[in-house]
Amino acid sequence: MESIMSGLLAGSASDIEQRRCELCTVRPLAVCGSVAMDRSACLAAIARGAQLAAGEPLFHEGDPAVEVFTVTSGMLKLSKLLPDGRRQVTGFLMAGDYLGLAFAERYICSAEAVTPVRLCRFARSAFLKLLDQFPALEKALLGRAATELAAAQQQMLLLGRKSAHERIASFVLQLAERQATKEGQWIDVPMTRTDIADYLGLTIETVSRTLTSLRKAGLITVPDPHHLQIVQRARLVAEAGG
Amino acid sequence: MESIMSGLLAGSASDIEQRRCELCTVRPLAVCGSVAMDRSACLAAIARGAQLAAGEPLFHEGDPAVEVFTVTSGMLKLSKLLPDGRRQVTGFLMAGDYLGLAFAERYICSAEAVTPVRLCRFARSAFLKLLDQFPALEKALLGRAATELAAAQQQMLLLGRKSAHERIASFVLQLAERQATKEGQWIDVPMTRTDIADYLGLTIETVSRTLTSLRKAGLITVPDPHHLQIVQRARLVAEAGG
DNA sequence: CGAGAGGTTGAGCAATCTCAACGGGGGTGG
DNA sequence: CCACCCCCGTTGAGATTGCTCAACCTCTCG
């Protein structure tokens, strides 16, 4: 249970290994941040572990939101669909992220595993009770929501006003940032070109072409479709256009 | 103070008139919803009234977030800028809306009055204290954040995947919905074509042309640039593409 | 009365999409 | 074990949507 707390309260990506939920996995837990709590009360929240294979859906847009989740490893994508099948990926979630905003009655988007995923699942009702017991958790959640809102606005700026080159450059930089990559290190790209396209509001062909163009211009290298490396960070930042 | 509470707790747009903040305006208050509260404690929050003329900025992206606000009348727009001046409007706020998410140290976007605006302003520190005193307020805020997040995701879908026609049709329907317009009633369009374009990720020319095209197709009428009317709702919904 | 802001319309252009072909890798079934 | 298929990614050529540039109109405000 502490891990949920720490997952929500801790921000840095460096201690991901220590965030695994002890109710869900076997891994013992590290210190639990600043929240004082009654562990047995927490245990009452009937958390359960869960795993998803790559490509497996967790829930669909419009399903009743009976559970909330925290990701302990792997990557998920959130998406929305238009009736004719056009898709918009609204975000990628990684270890430590929270899923299924506690106050909507139904999920507002679909969630699907990009890589194999491990998570903690909680009955929503139990989670809501937990919020009452631990005000600090509620504050953390509010902070999380604010962060997500800021990210959403940034993405609106990208989708509404940036060119394909700028979108791809921004995306690469964002990937690097979330992985705390140092200059020259490999960056993991777990998602497919289709996922990237649906995230950036482009087609897969444009994603592919633009990556090729950045590669040919010497800003990045792309050893295989699921790895890349930033070669000229400054020029890539310029290409990202703010 | 009750009005802030009710502004945050009440959802429906129908009682806007009863939401005016009594600390800021002269209007007496209606019932205050479900929150028990100590009024004098609330008054301690040093709320102040404020007015803005159309076009006047309230704050800019990146400014230290020393105050939070609730809108009591008029319309505001939120926007983000790229270094070269491209703009994305991330939302329009109306009476009852909340401004300046309490947990960020700096404003993540700029706010500017579209029409003359009245609002309540609170020192952020006082507002945060208030949150501690009234857990229900915090819950309401969390609910607000969830709603905004859902709207943001919907907007990402629009920006990433919808055509110009679909964007305009969606926008018109959204305007009608927020004004609780009945079929055939006039819809107010307080913002300029530039604002609409920056909200929908289009140019003003495309906005203008597309509205003309919807008008010529008989789906709407546009008596003047700041008013319109839905004539064939079903076809407009179809045009909005989900 | 002139200037400027906001809006509409037209013509041409270009970024991005669509359609199509092709190649590699992995899983599956014969 | 191998052939086949399917998914994923890349590349090319042509089509199209929406942008750019430009003219013009109306209304408001000095």
Side-chain angles (χ1 to χ4, degrees), chain B residues 10-237:
Chain B
S12 96
S14 64
D15 53 336
I16 283 173
E17 279 308 301
Q18 304 182 337
R19 280 203 204 130
R20 295 174 186 283
C21 177
E22 83 171 328
L23 292 181
C24 315
T25 74
V26 293
R27 184 171 260 282
L29 242 234
V31 198
C32 177
S34 55
V35 186
M37 76 197 68
D38 174 344
R39 178 145 157 201
S40 60
C42 290
L43 284 165
I46 46 166
R48 289 178 297 145
Q51 292 192 219
L52 291 172
E56 224 178 316
L58 179 59
F59 53 75
H60 291 286
E61 181 180 354
D63 286 354
V66 295
E67 292 182 308
V68 301
F69 308 86
T70 62
V71 183
T72 53
S73 77
M75 178 177 276
L76 285 156
K77 66 181 182 213
L78 302 179
S79 62
K80 288 175 80 75
L81 275 178
L82 250 20
D84 63 2
R86 281 174 287 174
R87 183 192 318 270
Q88 179 66 36
V89 169
T90 57
F92 295 103
L93 300 185
M94 295 169 43
D97 285 333
Y98 172 77
L99 243 163
L101 254 186
F103 287 84
E105 286 301 318
R106 294 180 169 274
Y107 298 117
I108 57 175
C109 55
S110 306
E112 183 179 318
V114 170
T115 65
V117 163
R118 292 219 243 184
L119 18 83
C120 290
R121 44 202 315 168
F122 301 87
R124 196 166 80 101
S125 55
F127 192 81
L128 290 175
K129 259 183 242 158
L130 217 62
L131 284 190
D132 288 333
Q133 282 174 40
F134 300 105
L137 184 55
E138 194 160 34
K139 276 217 167 33
L141 216 49
L142 202 45
R144 228 6 119 80
T147 305
E148 275 185 48
L149 216 42
Q153 294 196 350
Q154 194 61 36
Q155 192 69 359
M156 285 191 236
L157 179 61
L158 179 146
L159 292 171
R161 289 298 179 217
K162 289 192 179 179
S163 70
H165 267 78
E166 291 170 330
R167 292 181 201 203
I168 295 290
S170 302
F171 176 68
V172 170
L173 289 169
Q174 185 188 317
L175 271 184
E177 203 170 314
R178 286 186 76 169
Q179 293 176 29
T181 313
K182 295 201 176 53
E183 183 130 14
Q185 272 186 319
W186 295 125
I187 299 169
D188 259 353
V189 187
M191 61 289 279
T192 65
R193 296 293 185 261
T194 301
D195 292 336
I196 298 174
D198 287 345
Y199 180 56
L200 300 178
L202 300 170
T203 59
I204 52 173
E205 293 95 330
T206 299
V207 170
S208 185
R209 273 189 257 273
T210 307
L211 281 170
T212 300
S213 147
L214 289 180
R215 177 172 57 72
K216 287 187 175 164
L219 306 200
I220 60 173
T221 60
V222 189
D224 73 88
H226 291 290
H227 293 90
L228 51 81
Q229 189 186 28
I230 297 177
V231 178
Q232 301 193 44
R233 188 163 206 293
R235 282 181 62 196
L236 196 61
V237 169

Side-chain angles (χ1 to χ4, degrees), chain A residues 81-116:
Chain A
L81 274 178
L82 248 22
D84 63 3
R86 281 173 288 174
R87 181 193 319 273
Q88 180 66 34
V89 169
T90 57
F92 295 103
L93 300 185
M94 296 169 43
D97 285 334
Y98 172 77
L99 242 164
L101 254 185
F103 288 84
E105 287 300 320
R106 294 181 170 274
Y107 298 116
I108 55 174
C109 57
S110 307
E112 183 178 321
V114 170
T115 66

Side-chain angles (χ1 to χ4, degrees), chain A residues 57-70:
Chain A
L58 179 59
F59 54 73
H60 291 286
E61 181 179 356
D63 287 352
V66 294
E67 291 183 308
V68 300
F69 308 86
T70 62

Side-chain angles (χ1 to χ4, degrees), chain A:
Chain A
M1 166 46 49
E2 283 113 316
S3 71
I4 313 150
M5 295 290 197
S6 68
L8 283 164
L9 293 168
S12 97
S14 64
D15 53 338
I16 284 173
E17 279 309 300
Q18 305 183 334
R19 278 203 206 132
R20 297 174 185 284
C21 176
E22 84 171 328
L23 292 181
C24 314
T25 74
V26 292
R27 185 172 259 282
L29 242 235
V31 198
C32 177
S34 55
V35 186
M37 77 195 69
D38 175 345
R39 178 146 156 199
S40 58
C42 291
L43 284 165
I46 45 166
R48 288 176 298 144
Q51 291 191 221
L52 292 172
E56 225 177 315
L58 179 59
F59 54 73
H60 291 286
E61 181 179 356
D63 287 352
V66 294
E67 291 183 308
V68 300
F69 308 86
T70 62
V71 183
T72 53
S73 77
M75 179 177 274
L76 285 156
K77 65 181 183 216
L78 302 179
S79 63
K80 288 176 79 77
L81 274 178
L82 248 22
D84 63 3
R86 281 173 288 174
R87 181 193 319 273
Q88 180 66 34
V89 169
T90 57
F92 295 103
L93 300 185
M94 296 169 43
D97 285 334
Y98 172 77
L99 242 164
L101 254 185
F103 288 84
E105 287 300 320
R106 294 181 170 274
Y107 298 116
I108 55 174
C109 57
S110 307
E112 183 178 321
V114 170
T115 66
V117 163
R118 292 220 244 182
L119 17 83
C120 290
R121 44 200 318 165
F122 302 86
R124 195 166 82 101
S125 56
F127 192 81
L128 289 175
K129 258 185 241 156
L130 216 63
L131 284 190
D132 288 334
Q133 282 174 41
F134 300 104
L137 184 55
E138 194 160 33
K139 276 217 164 33
L141 217 49
L142 201 44
R144 224 11 116 79
T147 306
E148 277 185 47
L149 216 41
Q153 293 196 351
Q154 194 61 38
Q155 191 69 358
M156 285 191 236
L157 179 61
L158 179 146
L159 293 170
R161 288 298 179 217
K162 288 192 179 181
S163 70
H165 266 78
E166 291 169 331
R167 293 181 202 203
I168 294 289
S170 301
F171 176 68
V172 170
L173 288 168
Q174 186 188 316
L175 271 184
E177 205 169 313
R178 286 185 77 168
Q179 294 177 26
T181 313
K182 297 202 173 53
E183 182 132 13
Q185 274 186 318
W186 295 123
I187 299 170
D188 259 352
V189 187
M191 63 289 278
T192 65
R193 296 293 185 261
T194 301
D195 291 337
I196 298 174
D198 288 344
Y199 181 56
L200 300 178
L202 301 170
T203 59
I204 51 173
E205 294 94 332
T206 299
V207 170
S208 186
R209 275 189 255 274
T210 307
L211 281 171
T212 300
S213 146
L214 289 179
R215 177 173 56 72
K216 286 188 175 164
L219 305 199
I220 59 173
T221 60
V222 189
D224 73 89
H226 291 289
H227 293 91
L228 51 82
Q229 190 186 27
I230 297 177
V231 178
Q232 300 194 43
R233 188 162 205 294
R235 282 181 62 198
L236 196 61
V237 169
E239 197 83 12

